[in-house]
Amino acid sequence: MLTDDELQRYSRQIGPGVLSRQGQERLRESSVLVTRAGGMGGPAALALTTAGVGRIVLAHGGRMITPDLNRQILGSEATVGEFRAPHFADYLRSMNRYVEVEPLDHEPDDDEALEIAARVDAVLSCPPTFDERLRLSRAAVDTSTPLIDAAQWGMMGTLIVVDPSRTACLRCVYPQEPPFEELFPVVGAISAAIGSLAALEAIKILSGCGEPIFGKMLMYDGFRGRASQIDLRRDPQCPVCGDAR
Amino acid sequence: MPLTIRLTISGRSYDAAEGVPRELQLGDGTTVDDALAELAGQLKNGSVLPDTCLVALGGAHLGTIAEHEPRSLRDGDELVIIAPVAGG
Ligand SMILES: [Zn+2]
């Protein structure tokens, strides 16, 4: 049961076209893994926190650096040089007393990704490498946990929402690991937009309210101001989610 | 009868796709492979789109440039090519 204080806090998001009261309660009983908490994962984690998700596991290694500041909303100039995860967790806790935040000061390896995916209700994947993204996708499929993959480059971004065993996993979309660059260009406005949309997909999945875009890729090209939605093809031969695995 | 398709190229391909027209005029019976070959000839300075690019036609995912379902094109189709992105 939501307390009177919680009902007041969430009053603007309970009602027609938003969440039902039961949906808000389901959100409070839910947990999400967010990795990593950068330009997309940061805004996503903040949106999940203010929306009232019960527990957030926040994985991000290393210390904050000055180039983070063009998109990092969980840190500030004052926190440059500090370890990211514990500081970001403190900030999220300060935004909503009803949300538990579990910081992880590193990115999960295969075993840990599997262990965490098994104990959360959704995985929100925002890492800067395909290696990590494909790892989280495998963990999500193996544990039947819904996956939201948010990615960006420059002023464009993509969002892929996976219902494991039913819709295309990341390996179906990227059968060969694509090349990537470590120092990808990024404008904070697009990473925040894609991160917020990823959080919205998680909120719909967890609350049972609204229509998640399972099986689709949403692409927004902010450089040209164009959006596309693509129905993703699940590969029955996929070594991760296919029928023969 | 010639046909016209719309072209959307996005992802890590802005340099390569710069100057490529938003529409391609192609001959009757043209396939997705024909369109990709035509497009490859229009990329600036001989640059190439990665084999891992996602290819979609009319909102349906066909695969990657390296491996995709064969399809014939119809007048007005939109061909979308997205060079994969992984920025976090
Ligand atoms: Zn798959």
Side-chain angles (χ1 to χ4, degrees):
Chain A
M1 285 281 288
L2 296 163
T3 63
D4 287 345
D5 186 56
E6 284 173 285
L7 283 171
Q8 188 181 19
R9 174 183 287 256
Y10 303 126
S11 59
R12 299 287 293 273
Q13 63 184 44
I14 298 175
V18 269
L19 306 185
S20 64
R21 188 160 160 167
Q22 293 77 12
Q24 186 69 56
E25 285 171 358
R26 282 192 290 268
L27 210 54
R28 193 179 67 168
E29 300 307 314
S30 302
S31 55
V32 182
L33 166 64
V34 178
T35 175
R36 305 183 195 190
M40 285 184 307
L46 181 59
L48 295 170
T49 299
T50 53
V53 168
R55 183 177 181 82
I56 296 173
V57 183
L58 193 72
H60 199 141
R63 296 172 188 265
M64 245 192 96
I65 55 175
T66 301
D68 292 350
L69 288 171
N70 82 323
R71 63 198 185 284
Q72 181 52 262
I73 63 165
L74 303 184
S76 68
E77 290 179 1
T79 58
V80 169
E82 291 188 22
F83 283 105
R84 294 180 175 108
H87 179 80
F88 296 170
D90 282 345
Y91 178 71
L92 292 175
R93 290 184 197 110
S94 78
M95 294 300 288
N96 191 340
R97 71 185 63 197
Y98 297 106
V99 176
E100 280 181 53
V101 185
E102 178 186 332
L104 208 64
D105 64 1
H106 56 274
E107 286 70 45
D109 62 11
D110 282 349
D111 289 344
E112 195 172 25
L114 208 55
E115 180 267 313
I116 299 172
R119 65 179 167 92
V120 296
D121 302 294
V123 173
L124 214 155
S125 167
C126 310
T129 70
F130 282 104
D131 185 46
E132 277 186 68
R133 289 177 186 280
L134 290 164
R135 170 183 302 145
L136 292 164
S137 175
R138 284 194 301 274
V141 170
D142 286 349
T143 58
S144 297
T145 309
L147 172 81
I148 301 123
D149 181 86
Q152 61 72 226
W153 189 96
M155 291 194 200
M156 69 80 66
T158 59
L159 198 60
I160 295 174
V161 185
V162 181
D163 182 355
S165 305
R166 192 175 70 79
T167 69
C169 79
L170 235 61
R171 180 66 188 263
C172 294
V173 182
Y174 305 124
Q176 290 86 36
E177 195 171 316
F180 86 101
E181 65 229 281
E182 199 163 331
L183 289 177
F184 55 88
V186 50
V187 174
I190 189 73
S191 54
I194 300 293
S196 296
L197 288 173
L200 186 62
E201 291 304 313
I203 289 166
K204 290 188 290 181
I205 292 167
L206 299 170
S207 69
C209 305
E211 299 171 9
I213 57 166
F214 283 128
K216 296 180 192 297
M217 172 192 274
L218 176 69
M219 189 275 287
Y220 184 69
D221 182 338
F223 193 81
R224 301 192 178 98
R226 288 181 213 153
S228 304
Q229 199 177 72
I230 293 162
D231 290 319
L232 294 173
R233 185 188 65 154
R234 181 168 170 245
D235 178 5
Q237 312 298 322
C238 174
V240 175
C241 75
D243 303 330
R245 74 193 157 101
Chain B
M1 205 175 80
L3 53 86
T4 302
I5 64 162
R6 285 175 297 137
L7 203 55
T8 296
I9 304 174
S10 192
R12 294 170 63 257
S13 306
Y14 288 96
D15 282 354
E18 199 181 307
V20 171
R22 276 224 66 193
E23 294 186 338
L24 280 183
Q25 264 86 44
L26 302 159
D28 194 22
T30 299
T31 65
V32 167
D33 278 326
D34 297 330
L36 290 174
E38 171 71 23
L39 172 64
Q42 299 209 15
L43 299 179
K44 74 168 190 184
N45 302 331
S47 50
V48 292
L49 294 170
D51 271 358
T52 49
C53 281
L54 178 148
V55 177
L57 184 66
H61 176 211
L62 301 183
T64 61
I65 285 184
E67 201 171 329
H68 52 266
E69 290 175 26
R71 285 286 169 88
S72 294
L73 298 172
R74 289 178 302 189
D75 192 46
D77 273 345
E78 183 184 23
L79 183 64
V80 175
I81 297 163
I82 302 175
V85 298

